[in-house]
Amino acid sequence: MDLGTLIIGVVLIVMAFLPIVVVSFHRKNKEKAMLQSLTQVANQQQSILSKHEYFGDFIIGIDEQKHVIFYVKKAKEKLIEAIVNLSDMKDCSVLNVSKTIKSKDGNYTIVDRLDLSFTPKEKNKAGVQFAFYHSDSNTQINEELKSAEKWSRIVKEQLKSMAAGTK
């Protein structure tokens, strides 16, 4: 093998892997910035995040000691921040808004929206919803349903432990 072929081979390999490295680096920086925003929101409430999960355009976390859920979503150029004190909530569920489309090949269900929905204890108070997926802003649904179900379980466990009087 001559030197010219070796150089061309190395350049092609670098060109093949460079986009992967750049995308990974960009994603890590974005995740770090979102985690920093979530941590700031938690710190303002004198809370410490015990669990968190980053999901592209949003991040969610919980302080299991104080029973508070934190949510930060990047919508265009602004950050939407939300806090839910679980002591004010009686339940949490996944809200899956879908529509069925009929075609000659059969029926297809299309997910329009996935939210983590909190039901307050007081009937006169409005519920709170954290958007995990919305077809208007996300082009493709990935693992959002699994994540929403996971966080619903986490919240339900917290509500159950609060009702039992344990931490």
Side-chain angles (χ1 to χ4, degrees):
M1 184 183 288
D2 66 337
L3 184 61
T5 305
L6 181 65
I7 291 172
I8 290 172
V10 169
V11 167
L12 288 174
I13 290 171
V14 168
M15 287 176 54
F17 286 104
L18 189 61
I20 296 167
V21 171
V22 169
V23 167
S24 176
F25 183 73
H26 178 69
R27 185 184 190 290
K28 287 287 182 191
N29 282 344
K30 190 175 172 184
E31 181 177 352
K32 191 175 180 181
M34 290 290 282
L35 179 57
Q36 193 171 27
S37 296
L38 186 69
T39 304
Q40 274 183 328
V41 173
N43 288 343
Q44 290 170 356
Q45 300 295 314
Q46 288 81 39
S47 293
I48 298 171
L49 296 172
S50 48
K51 291 180 186 172
H52 71 276
E53 185 175 12
Y54 170 72
F55 230 93
D57 64 343
F58 74 89
I59 189 166
I60 186 170
I62 185 171
D63 180 336
E64 292 174 310
Q65 296 299 312
K66 292 189 176 182
H67 309 292
V68 180
I69 301 281
F70 302 95
Y71 174 84
V72 174
K73 181 176 180 72
K74 183 163 184 147
K76 296 187 179 161
E77 292 302 316
K78 70 177 191 175
L79 289 178
I80 299 167
E81 301 171 350
I83 301 166
V84 171
N85 188 335
L86 294 179
S87 62
D88 298 334
M89 299 298 152
K90 73 175 180 181
D91 195 18
C92 177
S93 61
V94 176
L95 178 63
N96 184 341
V97 178
S98 304
K99 56 186 168 193
T100 301
I101 297 178
K102 297 179 182 184
S103 73
K104 63 181 178 178
D105 299 330
N107 295 341
Y108 297 97
T109 302
I110 298 174
V111 176
D112 188 42
R113 198 172 85 224
L114 285 173
D115 293 336
L116 189 62
S117 181
F118 298 90
T119 307
K121 288 179 180 176
E122 296 181 31
K123 293 183 190 232
N124 61 345
K125 290 199 175 182
V128 179
Q129 295 178 347
F130 292 168
F132 274 56
Y133 171 81
H134 199 290
S135 61
D136 290 344
S137 58
N138 301 82
T139 55
Q140 185 175 4
I141 190 166
N142 293 314
E143 298 291 318
E144 288 89 347
L145 180 58
K146 281 184 186 177
S147 182
E149 290 171 345
K150 170 186 157 187
W151 280 94
S152 177
R153 281 190 304 275
I154 290 170
V155 170
K156 286 180 184 207
E157 287 172 14
Q158 283 288 304
L159 292 170
K160 193 183 297 182
S161 73
M162 289 168 59
T166 61
K167 287 192 178 183

